[in-house]
Amino acid sequence: MQTINPPSYTLADWRGGYCSLAQEHSYWIDDVQGTIPAGLSGTLFRNGPGLLERGGQSLQHPFDGDGMICAFTFKDGRVHFRNRYVRTAGYLAEQKAGKFLYRGVFGTPKPGGWLANAFDLRLKNIANTHVVYWGGKLLALWEAALPYRLDPATLETLGLDTLDGILGSSLAAHPRIDRVNGEPRLVDFAIQTGLSSVITLYELDAAGHLVNRHSHPVGGFAFIHDFALTPNYCLFFQNPVRFNPLPFLLGWRGAGECLEFRTQEPTRVLVIPRSGQGKPQILQTPAGFVFHHANAWENQPDQITVDSICYASLPGVDPNQDFRHTNFDALDPGQLWRFQLDLTTGQVQRRPLGNRCCEFPTLHPDYVGQPYRYLYAGAAHNPTGNAPLQALMKFDLATGQEQVWSAAPRGFVGEPVFVPRGPGEEEGWILSLGYDAAQERSFLVILDAADFSRGPLARLTLRHAVPYGLHGSFVPSLYGSEA
Ligand code: CO
C-alpha cells in the first residue's frame, strides 16, 4: 500500500544544505521574525559535520565530516551564534596538509586509489555526532573514539577526555539522562566489536563521578548507535548486520560500506540490568534496523515498552555513490514502532505507531524512562513515503494524532531539541536548526511544544548556511554571550 504524493522538495534544494562552513563566526543574530520567548534562557549546543570536502575532494558520505559545534546563546530575548571546529588531531593534521590523510568510515577514501588505502586501518576521531554538557564538561562525542572536551564559552578544544580515567578507548554518542531517587544520572555505553562484542555501561552522577560500570559480552558483530533507558534496565537492539572486512582491508571500501543487513535474521533485544547484577536477557524480534530509540518504560516488573524509529532495512551506504545523488524513493523510511517486551515469556510484540517518515525522536527530559504521551521528531512533509526531513512533528501517542509544522517546499530541518519550561509534558519549546534553500542560509526555529498549530514563535535566520547536522543539547547556563 503506497500513496503517491507529489514530491515536497527538489534534490537540488536538499543538496544545498550540504556545503561546507569553513569560516568560524561569532555574532548576535539580527534577522529575527516573531518574538523569542522571554523565558527561554540558556545555550543550545549542536554538533555535525562542518567540512564536506578537502583539497578539492568531496566526502563520499557526510558522516565522515569533521565535527563542528554551533552554540546558540539565548539571553534577554536575543540570540548569539558561534561555530567552531573541534580541533581533533586528524583535523589539525589535514588542515596542515590541505588534503584527506585518513580514510572515512563511511567510504571517503584518501587520495591515491586503493593502494594508498589498503591496510590503513587508522581511524580519524572526527568528534561530529553529539555534544553534551555533564559534570562541568562540554564533550563532543563520536562513537568509535574518546570524547573531546571543549570550553563551553569559547568552544575552544581542550583535548581528549577519558572522564577522569574511567573510559577505555571510546564512548557512544548517545548518553541518556534520567533521575535516580531524584538525582540526575547520565548513562552511556562503549562497544568493542568484531566477531564477538562487549558492551560496557557507565553511569555518572551530576558531578560526573562514576556511580556504576559493568561490561557484558554479546555474541557476534554489533553495530549499535543508541540505546534506551528505564529505571532498571538498559535496552540495546542488535540488528542483523554482518561485517565483511575484506573490501575494507583491501582499501576498496570504507568500513561502513562493508555492512550487510540480513533480512532473514532476527534483531536481538539485549536487556541489561542497570545494577550490573545478573546476565543480560536476550529476546528476539523480526529484522529491522534502528538508529534511534524514542523512549522506554516499565509497565510492570517484567513488561517493558520501547518506542523506536525503525527501518525495514539498513539504509545502505552504496560504494561509489555520492550521497548528493541519494534516491530517497528507493530507500525505506524510518517509522515509529512500539516494541512490547515480556521478560517472563521472552516474547516481543511489535506494531507500527505511525506511517510518517521520521527521525531524531525526542521528548520532555523529565519523561525519559517513564510512561509518556507526547513524542517530537523531525519528519517528512508528506504523510507517507520516504523523503528528507522538512517538518517537525508532535505525535500524541494516546490518540495517534499528529501535529506537523513544515518548512517545505524549500526548507529542511534537523533534530528537534526539547527545552522544558515546566514539569508538564508539553511545557517547553522545540528548537531546530534548519536550512532554507531559497535564501541559501540556515535558520533556527522555535516552536511551542504545547501547540504546533500556532506555527513558529520565532524564526532566526543566520548570515550563512550550516551543513545539516546530527545531535545537540540545551543547558540553562549562558555560555559565550559575552562576545
Ligand atoms: Co544518533
Side-chain angles (χ1 to χ4, degrees):
M1 184 190 72
Q2 194 173 15
T3 315
I4 305 296
N5 293 295
S8 58
Y9 66 98
T10 68
L11 206 55
D13 274 354
W14 170 75
R15 200 182 288 149
Y18 275 123
C19 62
S20 297
L21 177 57
Q23 197 182 337
E24 296 182 319
H25 297 270
S26 171
Y27 60 88
W28 290 92
I29 301 171
D30 49 20
D31 187 344
V32 179
Q33 288 175 274
T35 306
I36 297 162
L40 180 53
S41 176
T43 312
L44 171 70
F45 295 106
R46 202 213 60 164
N47 201 350
L51 276 184
L52 283 303
E53 69 272 308
R54 201 184 268 290
Q57 184 189 354
S58 283
L59 287 184
Q60 199 162 313
H61 197 285
F63 290 176
D64 284 338
D66 289 301
M68 183 188 76
I69 310 294
C70 294
F72 296 85
T73 311
F74 296 78
K75 185 185 182 188
D76 304 329
R78 299 173 71 206
V79 181
H80 183 270
F81 173 82
R82 181 191 303 268
N83 70 301
R84 214 168 155 108
Y85 281 87
V86 186
R87 262 62 174 178
T88 63
Y91 171 86
L92 291 172
E94 291 186 347
Q95 281 293 95
K96 202 170 167 191
K99 62 178 182 180
F100 291 121
L101 300 173
Y102 292 83
R103 304 171 66 187
V105 170
F106 288 90
T108 308
K110 293 191 292 183
W114 72 269
L115 206 56
N117 288 273
F119 304 107
D120 182 352
L121 308 185
R122 296 171 308 147
L123 279 181
K124 179 172 67 154
N125 181 348
I126 48 179
N128 73 356
T129 310
H130 202 342
V131 53
V132 292
Y133 186 81
W134 193 258
K137 292 179 177 180
L138 185 67
L139 301 167
L141 303 175
W142 183 63
E143 65 196 26
L146 286 173
Y148 269 90
R149 185 177 175 187
L150 312 170
D151 180 322
T154 62
L155 302 182
E156 182 193 344
T157 302
L158 303 175
L160 285 170
D161 199 286
T162 59
L163 301 183
D164 304 319
I166 67 169
L167 296 179
S169 58
S170 69
L171 183 69
H174 270 283
R176 297 264 170 193
I177 296 168
D178 73 348
R179 286 178 178 271
V180 174
N181 300 324
E183 295 299 319
R185 291 280 180 83
L186 179 142
V187 184
D188 202 357
F189 67 99
I191 190 158
Q192 287 175 283
T193 195
L195 292 175
S196 66
S197 307
V198 176
I199 291 176
T200 301
L201 279 155
Y202 301 90
E203 187 151 343
L204 309 178
D205 68 13
H209 297 134
L210 186 67
V211 177
N212 208 352
R213 169 174 53 187
H214 38 100
S215 296
H216 304 274
V218 171
F221 175 76
F223 175 39
I224 298 176
H225 176 69
D226 189 13
F227 76 116
L229 185 69
T230 71
N232 291 297
Y233 298 101
C234 294
L235 304 144
F236 294 85
F237 280 29
Q238 187 182 11
N239 302 126
V241 174
R242 295 291 169 272
F243 180 65
N244 172 13
L246 202 60
F248 172 63
L249 292 173
L250 293 177
W252 298 338
R253 294 185 183 182
E257 295 170 309
C258 301
L259 298 175
E260 186 196 335
F261 186 79
R262 304 272 181 95
T263 46
Q264 300 307 315
E265 295 179 18
T267 284
R268 294 178 0 132
V269 180
L270 315 174
V271 184
I272 303 181
R274 238 168 118 167
S275 64
Q277 308 298 314
K279 279 193 166 182
Q281 190 172 343
I282 298 170
L283 284 59
Q284 292 192 349
T285 183
F289 192 85
V290 172
F291 279 111
H292 296 124
H293 299 285
N295 199 19
W297 76 94
E298 298 163 21
N299 316 59
Q300 296 167 37
D302 67 340
Q303 302 284 323
I304 302 173
T305 304
V306 189
D307 292 342
S308 311
I309 308 290
C310 196
Y311 298 80
S313 67
L314 174 68
V317 180
D318 255 347
N320 309 319
Q321 200 206 312
D322 188 316
F323 71 94
R324 292 170 181 83
H325 300 285
T326 298
N327 178 3
F328 284 90
D329 295 330
L331 299 173
D332 294 314
Q335 289 161 316
L336 184 62
W337 284 71
R338 174 159 288 180
F339 298 85
Q340 197 71 46
L341 318 182
D342 185 319
L343 302 188
T344 301
T345 64
Q347 297 298 307
V348 180
Q349 308 284 336
R350 62 169 197 164
R351 65 186 171 94
L353 294 179
N355 266 328
R356 191 182 292 267
C357 162
C358 58
E359 248 304 350
F360 297 129
T362 193
L363 71 158
H364 190 302
D366 290 356
Y367 293 79
V368 170
Q370 302 295 328
Y372 73 119
R373 177 168 173 181
Y374 298 106
L375 178 75
Y376 301 84
H381 173 80
N382 285 326
T384 57
N386 186 47
L389 303 180
Q390 292 189 282
L392 296 166
M393 171 173 77
K394 176 187 180 184
F395 192 73
D396 183 338
L397 295 155
T399 65
Q401 191 201 3
E402 290 173 354
Q403 270 193 346
V404 173
W405 172 77
S406 176
R410 304 206 69 188
F412 300 84
V413 302
E415 178 191 57
V417 173
F418 193 108
V419 180
R421 64 165 176 265
E425 210 187 322
E426 300 169 277
E427 277 186 279
W429 297 286
I430 294 291
L431 310 181
S432 181
L433 182 59
Y435 170 72
D436 179 18
Q439 292 184 280
E440 296 183 342
R441 290 177 186 210
S442 292
F443 60 87
L444 185 77
V445 71
I446 305 170
L447 289 160
D448 183 346
D451 187 4
F452 275 22
S453 68
R454 296 169 63 186
L457 302 175
R459 178 181 168 125
L460 291 69
T461 303
L462 302 184
R463 298 177 184 172
H464 45 78
V466 175
Y468 300 120
L470 295 164
H471 302 293
S473 40
F474 186 88
V475 294
S477 309
L478 295 170
Y479 288 115
S481 62
E482 59 292 322

